[in-house]
Amino acid sequence: MLTPQLLEESRKLAAAFRITDGKGFRLDEHDPDDTAWFTRADKPAAQAALEASIQAISALQEKLYAQDHWGVLLVFQAMDGAGKDSVIRNVMSGVNPAGCHVTSFKAPSAEELDHDYLWRCNRALPERGRIGVFNRSYYEEVLVVKVHPELLTPQRVPRQRPNGAIWDERYRDLRNHERYLGSNGFVVRKFFLNLSRGEQKKRFLARIDDPDKNWKFHPADVRERQHWDEYMAAYESAIRETATAEAPWYVVPADNKWFTRLVVAAAIVDTLSALDPTYPTLPPGKLAELAECRKVLAAEDRDG
């Protein structure tokens, strides 16, 4: 149930990490270990707030689905080990699967490379009434591709551009794409799970040392770690260039998983509640049909 207190707390927590104007944004001003006004001793209360938020998300999503008016897209981006999978699994655990779809994007296939870079993501956009979750997204095109520009070659982009111009074009395209979605009733919210380099190392070592977690680790993760500074610069630029009031970024501290989940849940509660979804009201003719159906069902009881 979405109580006034939970709504107020969700709005306050979401606002603390929301970026609606990227001008002057600096990633080094955002602490991956931040827990806002919570302390480690507050973890039980934070867990209770998370559970209440999950229930509220479930109730709001049911109304969103029934109303069939808005669509919601949640985009998750992060370095390996930041916990995207676990955040999505935990925060969205109460949502009816019929009204939510998660898409994980890996390296593009040959078919996807034969299309524009937004094509594969557009195919997975949510329908009205549904929540779409992107585990990675079209932002890979200004993150991993920017760090590894050789990945542009198989994309076969035809026009030659001055150095750096392609990234400015892609930032513009992403802003326009999200503005287009918003004007058509599809709300976009983007989450960067801000993990520190030290915490990533701890999590990688845990995956290596625990046989049950070995499957999560890939040697390429260590190779990509060598490009840490380049990735941080790419994330900073992406957020600076594409954070808007219509499609904000949330720079979520990711060193403490319990707090990461709480912030993401708060942002989703804030977003869904602002849409104010309601159950549809049937017209008089439909209500009359329901009344007649009720009479038929009641008569079955008498006849039986």
Side-chain angles (χ1 to χ4, degrees), residues 80-199:
D80 292 316
K84 295 188 305 300
D85 290 343
S86 65
V87 166
I88 295 168
R89 184 173 61 252
N90 279 272
V91 173
M92 306 304 292
S93 61
V95 173
N96 184 342
C100 180
H101 182 69
V102 180
T103 306
S104 297
F105 293 98
K106 306 296 183 182
S109 67
E111 180 188 18
E112 290 166 345
L113 288 170
D114 270 338
H115 292 81
D116 65 275
Y117 70 85
L118 285 173
W119 180 77
R120 64 175 183 160
C121 293
N122 283 339
R123 296 175 74 198
L125 287 172
E127 300 169 275
R128 298 188 192 281
R130 290 168 170 79
I131 299 174
V133 180
F134 282 1
N135 187 340
R136 302 190 186 278
S137 68
Y138 42 75
Y139 276 98
E140 294 293 284
E141 295 297 326
V142 292
L143 296 169
V144 65
V145 178
K146 189 174 184 181
V147 173
H148 298 286
E150 66 273 14
L151 295 176
L152 284 169
T153 300
Q155 294 187 12
R156 302 186 295 283
V157 180
R159 287 189 295 121
Q160 296 298 315
R161 296 162 173 78
N163 185 39
I166 189 171
W167 311 121
D168 291 336
E169 288 184 3
R170 289 192 169 184
Y171 295 139
R172 181 200 64 204
D173 291 343
L174 297 178
R175 289 193 301 269
N176 290 340
H177 175 63
E178 291 169 351
R179 185 178 299 114
Y180 168 81
L181 290 175
S183 66
N184 282 275
F186 294 88
V187 177
V188 181
R189 296 293 183 264
K190 302 168 292 191
F191 299 89
F192 169 52
L193 307 189
N194 186 22
L195 183 72
S196 70
R197 197 166 192 264
E199 182 62 23

Side-chain angles (χ1 to χ4, degrees), residues 18-75:
R18 182 169 54 235
I19 309 296
T20 58
D21 182 353
K23 187 181 299 183
F25 173 77
R26 290 179 55 89
L27 189 54
D28 61 10
E29 295 176 352
H30 295 261
D31 183 5
D33 195 43
D34 188 9
T35 55
W37 47 88
F38 291 86
T39 67
R40 301 300 192 277
D42 294 325
K43 283 180 65 174
Q47 182 60 39
L50 174 61
E51 291 172 2
S53 296
I54 290 171
Q55 292 177 16
I57 291 170
S58 177
L60 287 164
Q61 182 271 334
E62 184 175 331
K63 292 180 180 180
L64 185 85
Y65 184 74
Q67 187 181 46
D68 197 26
H69 185 74
W70 299 94
V72 177
L73 175 62
L74 308 176
V75 173

